[in-house]
Amino acid sequence: MQRTGHRGKMLSSITKSTDQIRRTIERQRGLESYRSKIERGGEPDPSEITYEGLLREYTFDMHGHSISLDSGFFVEYAIGTSVNPTTTETDHFLAISLAPQGWKASLERPPLNMVFVLEASEQMKRLLAPGSSQTLFDFSKNTLLRILTQLREEDSFALVVFDHEVRVLIELERVGSSETLKEAMAEVKCQGGSDMTTALSVASSLLPPITKNEEHRIVILTCQKEIPNLEDFGFLANRISEKKKYLTILGMGILFENSFSQKISQIR
């Protein structure tokens, strides 16, 4: 990082400003002793070198920008300010990075089709923790809403709810307002048992055939430590995996039994 000096005195004061930063850190972390030992031909203590002085004394307010160059490179620069802990004046900083064009695009994922599978059995009425006013079902609904905020406009989602029966509350649709999901979950009442295998089958049927420009994922939210008919569930999960559809199982307020975790980990 290069420091540009006070109030727009950019290049002319870089060296002077850098020296001021170094001296401030040296006073805070004893680096003057380190340097003086070297000058006297002594052996300094390596523990005297640290970044803690900089991290503790400077809080950076950064504003990023980017420029695309004809040469095939992508330049990003950030202009920052920080109050000098010694002079109390505002210091200005400039950080520049250079990368090949297209590197950010390589990190982008394709559009995502996600099916939420929410358990609504009688057990989901249990409190999240002793003394809590929140049930496992309340926690699950809040978790879904938080996941939804991470999806993009080009993504799609669906909602399947299951107890001893399975119901599709939202067919696969583009991500929009979270109100659709809130309204659908508000009508759900927790009751009965838990048929997760059938719920997984229904969720998979909602996903269209996979293309190279899309990703498919099923997310199950459950409070079950063990899955009834685990062999059938595992067989179905493997079939789904072969179709390049990903499966995630989230335990709501529970820790899965070791035997269950081991069996699930064997699913391809």
Side-chain angles (χ1 to χ4, degrees):
M1 180 182 294
Q2 292 181 324
R3 182 182 176 195
T4 61
H6 298 289
R7 294 180 172 84
K9 296 178 180 179
M10 301 287 285
L11 299 177
S12 63
S13 60
I14 287 178
T15 302
K16 177 181 176 182
S17 300
T18 304
D19 288 341
Q20 289 175 349
I21 291 178
R22 176 180 57 78
R23 287 196 297 272
T24 299
I25 298 172
E26 286 176 349
R27 286 195 296 271
Q28 294 293 331
R29 303 303 302 171
L31 293 184
E32 288 177 340
S33 172
Y34 179 92
R35 294 182 182 278
S36 64
K37 288 179 182 178
I38 295 178
E39 293 171 357
R40 294 195 304 269
E43 184 175 347
D45 184 354
S47 65
E48 293 175 348
I49 302 178
T50 177
Y51 293 105
E52 291 180 6
L54 180 63
L55 296 176
R56 185 177 66 243
E57 299 298 334
Y58 283 83
T59 300
F60 295 97
D61 180 16
M62 305 298 289
H63 302 280
H65 306 272
S66 61
I67 302 174
S68 180
L69 302 179
D70 294 336
S71 59
F73 285 93
F74 186 83
V75 178
E76 287 191 323
Y77 65 94
I79 300 172
T81 61
S82 177
V83 177
N84 190 304
T86 302
T87 65
T88 70
E89 296 183 16
T90 300
D91 294 343
H92 300 263
F93 302 85
L94 176 65
I96 301 176
S97 63
L98 185 67
Q101 288 189 12
W103 74 274
K104 283 191 173 181
S106 65
L107 302 178
E108 292 290 332
R109 63 167 174 79
L112 174 65
N113 295 317
M114 179 174 286
V115 180
F116 299 128
V117 182
L118 177 62
E119 180 177 348
S121 70
E122 187 75 20
Q123 295 184 54
M124 292 292 273
K125 292 181 178 180
R126 299 200 313 262
L127 294 179
L128 180 62
S132 173
S133 60
Q134 190 176 35
T135 66
L136 295 178
F137 192 65
D138 293 332
F139 180 72
S140 300
K141 291 189 292 184
N142 291 333
T143 299
L144 285 188
L145 291 173
R146 287 196 295 269
I147 295 175
L148 189 65
T149 64
Q150 303 301 312
L151 301 183
R152 305 189 303 231
E153 291 182 357
E154 62 269 27
D155 297 331
S156 300
F157 79 100
L159 176 62
V160 174
V161 172
F162 71 98
D163 40 50
H164 56 282
E165 298 179 343
V166 179
R167 302 177 299 283
V168 177
L169 298 191
I170 301 177
E171 298 280 351
L172 198 66
E173 63 178 41
R174 284 293 178 90
V175 173
S177 170
S178 61
E179 292 304 316
T180 302
L181 186 58
K182 287 181 181 179
E183 292 173 1
M185 293 189 298
E187 302 299 323
V188 177
K189 305 298 181 183
C190 295
Q191 60 183 5
S194 174
D195 187 357
M196 193 183 306
T197 301
T198 303
L200 177 60
S201 177
V202 171
S204 178
S205 69
L206 296 177
L207 293 171
I210 192 70
T211 70
K212 65 178 181 179
N213 296 321
E214 290 182 326
E215 287 186 359
H216 292 346
R217 182 173 293 278
I218 299 172
V219 179
I220 300 177
L221 292 87
T222 179
C223 68
Q224 303 297 320
K225 294 183 178 181
E226 289 276 46
I227 299 178
N229 304 318
L230 183 57
E231 290 187 4
D232 292 340
F233 182 89
F235 176 79
L236 178 59
N238 278 324
R239 291 287 302 275
I240 291 172
S241 175
E242 292 170 357
K243 297 178 181 179
K244 305 302 182 183
K245 300 176 182 179
Y246 300 99
L247 172 63
T248 301
I249 303 176
L250 302 178
M252 297 291 100
I254 61 167
L255 292 175
F256 292 125
E257 298 288 349
N258 289 335
S259 58
F260 171 69
S261 300
Q262 290 173 2
K263 292 176 182 178
I264 288 297
S265 66
Q266 296 172 2
I267 298 175
R268 295 191 300 271

